[in-house]
Amino acid sequence: EEIFSLQTSALAKRMESGNTGKILIGVSGGLDSTLALLVAVKTLDMLGIDRKNIFALIMPGFGTTLRTKKNSLKLCEALGVATEEIDIRALCLQEFRDIGHDSKNQNVVFENAQARMRTKILFDKGNQVKGLVLGTGDLSEIALGFCTFNGEHMSHYNVNAGGPNTLGSY
């Protein structure tokens, strides 16, 4: 409870100093994005801002399962946030063609292109609505280097960066 309260207060302060009442977040259905989304919802409630000012982007890629996609959509609906689905597969396939990468080769190029595409879309959409891109990566990912450079580690503010991966399970 105390950690959640600290995350919420810190995000509120960041939003006030950045003079924005809108948040963009990529929601995957996993613990990290769920925790960040809950912090965003609580923060906007605390500030008296309509939850529809949270833009939750569901961005299915090659490894997205129907279950995680449905979980993401149900969560966003239950929380009353604005939700948009943008399938990134065609965009990634175009990029693979452009750089001459065989899309059957599911190596680091294949994986990182998806993370970077999601980040690009979040920032582009953030510019469009004049909102703050909220990061979802946790301290464990950051410390171990499991974040894609210019991918999911980039945001305007990351509410989970100070907590280990196990924090999301509380």
Side-chain angles (χ1 to χ4, degrees):
E1 225 177 282
E2 184 178 348
I3 294 168
F4 191 78
S5 177
L6 289 169
Q7 288 174 295
T8 303
S9 298
L11 178 57
K13 184 171 263 215
R14 176 66 176 99
M15 291 180 71
E16 288 170 345
S17 70
N19 199 26
T20 185
K22 297 178 182 175
I23 293 175
L24 286 286
I25 182 170
V27 179
S28 68
L31 286 176
D32 291 338
S33 66
T34 298
L35 176 59
L37 179 58
L38 292 172
V39 170
V41 165
K42 179 72 172 177
T43 301
L44 265 59
D45 288 352
M46 185 176 76
L47 294 173
I49 300 172
D50 187 339
R51 289 181 181 187
K52 290 293 182 190
N53 284 302
I54 298 173
F55 297 84
L57 301 185
I58 314 295
M59 297 175 278
F62 301 107
T64 304
T65 66
L66 186 58
R67 182 173 86 52
T68 58
K69 183 176 149 183
K70 281 184 177 181
N71 286 347
S72 298
L73 292 167
K74 284 180 185 177
L75 175 65
C76 293
E77 183 181 338
L79 293 172
V81 302
T83 308
E84 185 174 347
E85 182 180 334
I86 301 172
D87 192 312
I88 65 165
R89 290 174 286 199
L91 295 166
C92 290
L93 287 172
Q94 180 61 52
E95 184 172 319
F96 297 150
R97 284 190 294 276
D98 291 346
I99 67 170
H101 181 74
D102 180 1
S103 62
K104 291 182 178 108
N105 183 356
Q106 296 183 4
N107 62 3
V108 69
V109 174
F110 181 85
E111 294 299 330
N112 287 349
Q114 294 175 82
R116 290 185 182 113
M117 189 61 68
R118 288 181 177 107
T119 299
K120 179 185 180 321
I121 290 168
L122 281 166
F123 275 100
D124 288 346
K125 190 72 175 176
N127 288 154
Q128 188 180 50
V129 302
K130 296 178 177 58
L132 180 92
V133 175
L134 193 64
T136 61
D138 61 63
L139 180 61
S140 302
E141 291 174 337
I142 295 165
L144 295 171
F146 287 162
C147 295
T148 301
F149 186 72
N150 284 336
E152 70 269 40
H153 86 285
M154 291 186 60
S155 64
H156 291 120
Y157 189 76
N158 188 340
V159 294
N160 294 340
N165 185 270
T166 53
L167 188 63
S169 60
Y170 69 88

